[in-house]
Amino acid sequence: MRVDALTLRSRITAAAVAVRMILAALALQLTVTSCSTPERLPAVPRVSTAQAELPVGPVRFLVARETESFKKEALASVERERAWLASQGHTGPLPPLTMLAISGGGDNGAFGAGLLNGWTAAGTRPEFKAVTGVSTGALIAPFAFLGPKYDYVLERVYTTTSQADIFKKRGLLKGFFGDAMSDTTPLVQLVAQYADRALLDAIAAEYAKGRVLLVGTANLDTLEPVIWNMTAIAASKDPGALDLFRKILVASASIPGAFPPVMIDVKVNGVVYQEMHADGGTVSQVFSYPPSFHLAEEAAKLGTTRSRSLYVIRNARLDPDWASVERRTLNVAVRAIGALTQSQGVGDLYRIFATAQRDKVDFNLAYIPSSFNFPHREEFDTQYMQQLYATGRSMAASGFPWQKYPPGYEADSLPLSVEKDRVP
């Protein structure tokens, strides 16, 4: 078909106008989106990080900088324990010290939830002197700390929750120019549903008995781990204690980039700043107590003699996870991050194990068995979590043998006093 010069010129002009309109619309969209980029108060200046204060008082430990405050709290917890036991007519040595550390792992937290409930069913679950949690482990920790009375919460959350109960996906542009690719309002609401004033009061009562609940977050401004004394926050009379408690739980489970970080207001010399906190798994998949705190040595100074045990729940598989990776940027990146997370988790276990060996603490480890291969279609897949919960529960209810060393460790090199045993 013949097209004359005038018609061709008209079409070119029209096409150019259309392109300009499209580019203008895109520019407008980018401008509007960028204008809505979340703002924040200034970060705490580098030189003032250690001086940042919260209204509830000194309720956290910056263990990358110093551990004296952690040591002080640990020793104070022993004094509270002694006073409580004396008020109940207890005489003689202190009872055995049992600690629990719960790792991150997203919806794999269903394993830890099931394990705890199965442990209750076995009738051998101890009361823990201290409980620590990171990420999904932080969400489990308050209920594990309070004991079997709250097992129903763990079962309900980790067998009925779906993706829609945790986050809502944002559009690509909104996610890119915002602070995350998802909106975690559903998670905030879920945490608020169960972390109420009654829960804090129950936790505060245990704090008075010398028990301690700790949760880890990552300060993204300083790239440092922060350990929060959730029991001290619960015992605080500050009106903002409940809100802070909830914020820390959400922050510890907020994967950077995927979930929005949590902003926490602090003051330095009366000036208000904001810290940006996110998933504790960014710096550590699981923790017990700082290696710089010599538990056995400090106990000897106090004249305290008792057995000590540590139970670690790793909400992940530790065997090689084979997959045929598609040759695409996102697939390769996700796979690599998964490898880094697994490697970090194993390293954390070795650090905890070495510290336990030094302090003569009986080390016990549980993790998702290699035999579990139920399909995992998406994050927070309800059917997947139900099956994983059932696996963890069945393992503990039958009295499975806890592993006495990290994966890959030579069992023959362990001290003769440390042997495989069953749930005590």
Side-chain angles (χ1 to χ4, degrees), residues 25-35 173 177:
L26 180 58
L28 178 62
Q29 175 65 37
L30 293 176
T31 301
V32 170
T33 307
S34 62
C35 286
L173 285 177
F177 287 100

Side-chain angles (χ1 to χ4, degrees), residues 145-395:
F145 179 78
L146 291 176
K149 182 180 178 181
Y150 286 85
D151 279 358
Y152 79 95
V153 175
L154 295 179
E155 180 177 10
R156 180 183 300 170
V157 171
Y158 283 95
T159 61
T160 66
T161 296
S162 67
Q163 194 174 96
D165 299 309
I166 304 299
F167 65 88
K168 295 183 293 186
K169 294 180 180 178
R170 292 172 172 169
L172 180 61
L173 285 177
K174 188 173 182 181
F176 184 79
F177 287 100
D179 56 2
M181 300 306 296
S182 303
D183 177 359
T184 50
T185 298
L187 175 61
V188 172
Q189 294 171 340
L190 184 65
V191 168
Q193 179 182 348
Y194 293 106
D196 54 15
R197 187 68 251 178
L199 183 85
L200 260 66
D201 289 343
I203 291 173
E206 297 306 310
Y207 185 58
K209 300 175 185 178
R211 300 180 64 213
V212 181
L213 170 64
L214 305 174
V215 163
T217 65
N219 183 333
L220 295 185
D221 292 322
T222 64
L223 294 182
E224 291 179 313
V226 179
I227 298 177
W228 297 85
N229 188 341
M230 305 299 276
T231 27
I233 294 173
S236 169
K237 302 301 181 182
D238 189 273
L242 178 57
D243 181 60
L244 178 61
F245 191 97
R246 292 169 172 172
K247 277 188 171 183
I248 294 166
L249 293 183
V250 173
S252 187
S254 295
I255 306 167
F259 295 170
V262 174
M263 309 307 298
I264 296 178
D265 292 350
V266 297
K267 285 185 178 181
V268 177
N269 298 324
V271 179
V272 179
Y273 297 95
Q274 277 188 329
E275 295 178 343
M276 181 182 287
H277 287 263
D279 193 338
T282 304
V283 289
S284 177
Q285 290 296 310
V286 63
F287 72 97
S288 54
Y289 58 89
S292 55
F293 175 69
H294 292 247
L295 177 58
E297 183 179 308
E298 295 300 332
K301 292 178 182 178
L302 292 176
T304 302
T305 303
R306 56 173 163 179
S307 63
R308 303 179 186 88
S309 300
L310 169 64
Y311 292 87
V312 181
I313 299 176
R314 179 69 178 108
N315 291 305
R317 290 173 51 149
L318 299 182
D319 58 308
D321 182 20
W322 185 92
S324 177
V325 182
E326 192 172 357
R327 192 172 177 179
R328 293 181 181 275
T329 301
L330 185 59
N331 298 72
V332 172
V334 168
R335 186 67 172 167
I337 291 172
L340 286 171
T341 300
Q342 184 180 44
S343 178
Q344 177 196 35
V346 172
D348 290 334
L349 294 177
Y350 269 87
R351 183 184 65 252
I352 292 172
F353 176 74
T355 303
Q357 289 286 96
R358 181 199 66 194
D359 292 335
K360 296 181 174 57
V361 176
D362 181 36
F363 177 88
N364 302 272
L365 171 66
Y367 51 88
I368 299 174
S370 59
S371 58
F372 182 80
N373 289 302
F374 193 83
H376 192 193
R377 298 169 301 179
E378 62 180 9
E379 289 303 312
F380 303 101
D381 178 345
T382 306
Q383 290 187 336
Y384 173 84
M385 289 192 292
Q386 290 172 345
Q387 293 296 319
L388 187 52
Y389 173 90
T391 296
R393 191 183 191 287
S394 177
M395 285 172 56

